[in-house]
Amino acid sequence: MRLIPAIDIIDGKCVRLSKGDYNTKKIYNENPLEIAKQFEDHGIEHLHLVDLDGAKASHIVNHKVLETIATKTNLKIDFGGGLKTDEDLRIAFESGAGQITGGSIAVKNPDVFKSWLSKFGADKIILGADANNEKIAISGWQEESEEELIPFVKNYIAQGVSYVICTDIAKDGMLQGPSFGLYKKMLAELDGVKLIASGGISKFEELPKLAELGCEGTIIGKAIYENKISLKQLEDYILSN
């Protein structure tokens, strides 16, 4: 299972929110590159970079941060937050993203999202299926849609999607453990999905459990920043697998 630390960006700074609420913003570092380099120094190869300004603005905003991290580290970066147009994707990929995550766009403009799958390939496009009570949430989680999580993902798998990031919003940033039950259900019902768990990771022992369930990757955010999980623990896990 891939370990994927997260860096969330507002105003070019590394922040974390709780349950996606911008009013809960906490700044952890003025310089995201410093954090990214620390990850790389501990054997981490992947990074989940989220443009929270972009999510609010509905277009890419913090691509300079992406470019800086991509040119000054070897991290494989998946980038998301407000990507809505082919131009947004062009900027993201040219700035160094290896993959992009589309969430709201997959709900609000499925034709555009499907065109990205055929244009860039399923390996480059991750479906962001973030949910509250198993209903898909959109627009930086400011809105809940009527889309049911599992049928929504199933439909996109039929269209060629393989990578899916699922965040249970109720858990995100709360450090109370991930949604094991939800991920188990998804893996049982969705054939061939490469499921990336996200939200609620609070201690190291949860990671092997997610691997056991069959998650392809796990995004870890606040647990790192609040020193609930050390980078040394992540390094040892990577070395032992």
Side-chain angles (χ1 to χ4, degrees):
M1 183 180 74
R2 292 184 303 135
L3 301 183
I4 314 167
I7 293 179
D8 291 359
I9 305 294
I10 291 179
D11 296 333
K13 297 168 187 166
C14 174
V15 306
R16 297 305 292 172
L17 309 180
S18 297
K19 296 186 182 180
D21 181 352
Y22 284 73
N23 296 319
T24 63
K25 176 180 83 175
K26 183 172 177 183
I27 297 170
Y28 284 96
N29 197 307
E30 302 274 333
N31 182 1
L33 177 62
E34 262 178 35
I35 303 261
K37 282 187 160 167
Q38 283 172 24
F39 293 159
E40 190 173 44
D41 289 346
H42 286 83
I44 285 158
E45 294 180 11
H46 302 274
L47 176 67
H48 178 65
L49 188 62
V50 182
D51 181 358
L52 288 173
D53 293 314
K56 248 190 176 171
S58 289
H59 60 81
I60 194 167
V61 174
N62 285 296
H63 51 90
K64 288 286 177 225
V65 175
L66 166 61
E67 191 174 13
T68 300
I69 294 174
T71 52
K72 295 195 159 75
T73 74
N74 291 312
L75 293 167
K76 299 178 184 101
I77 305 168
D78 78 77
F79 183 82
L83 303 173
K84 295 285 180 282
T85 62
D86 288 14
E87 178 66 3
D88 286 333
L89 262 67
R90 182 189 68 74
I91 294 167
F93 286 131
E94 283 183 5
S95 300
Q99 292 178 303
I100 66 93
T101 301
S104 305
I105 187 83
V107 177
K108 290 185 160 180
N109 206 332
D111 290 344
V112 169
F113 188 77
K114 286 174 199 166
S115 77
W116 293 349
L117 284 169
S118 53
K119 206 175 288 180
F120 299 101
D123 282 351
K124 293 258 191 196
I125 308 293
I126 302 169
L127 176 64
D130 300 335
N132 223 345
N133 305 315
E134 293 195 35
K135 288 263 176 73
I136 294 286
I138 52 175
S139 305
W141 303 347
Q142 310 301 302
E143 291 174 55
E144 199 176 278
S145 75
E146 287 310 303
E147 294 276 0
E148 297 279 344
L149 173 64
I150 288 177
F152 174 77
V153 175
K154 195 173 269 185
N155 171 46
Y156 271 115
I157 288 173
Q159 311 279 341
V161 160
S162 54
Y163 288 96
V164 178
I165 293 175
C166 180
T167 308
D168 183 343
I169 292 162
K171 302 276 190 184
D172 189 63
M174 302 313 288
L175 297 173
Q176 291 166 357
S179 280
F180 292 113
L182 178 62
Y183 299 136
K184 190 175 183 179
K185 185 175 170 184
M186 288 178 78
L187 287 160
E189 293 188 35
L190 299 166
D191 282 346
V193 70
K194 291 177 180 168
L195 184 63
I196 299 163
S198 165
I201 307 289
S202 61
K203 51 182 189 281
F204 177 78
E205 293 71 30
E206 292 157 357
L207 300 174
K209 280 191 197 169
L210 288 167
E212 224 168 88
L213 281 182
C215 291
E216 191 273 339
T218 300
I219 291 170
I220 313 160
K222 194 175 271 189
I224 293 173
Y225 298 106
E226 295 283 341
N227 300 312
K228 306 281 184 197
I229 297 177
S230 72
L231 293 178
K232 181 78 177 80
Q233 283 176 303
L234 298 184
E235 184 174 7
D236 291 346
Y237 178 88
I238 291 164
L239 290 171
S240 67
N241 282 281

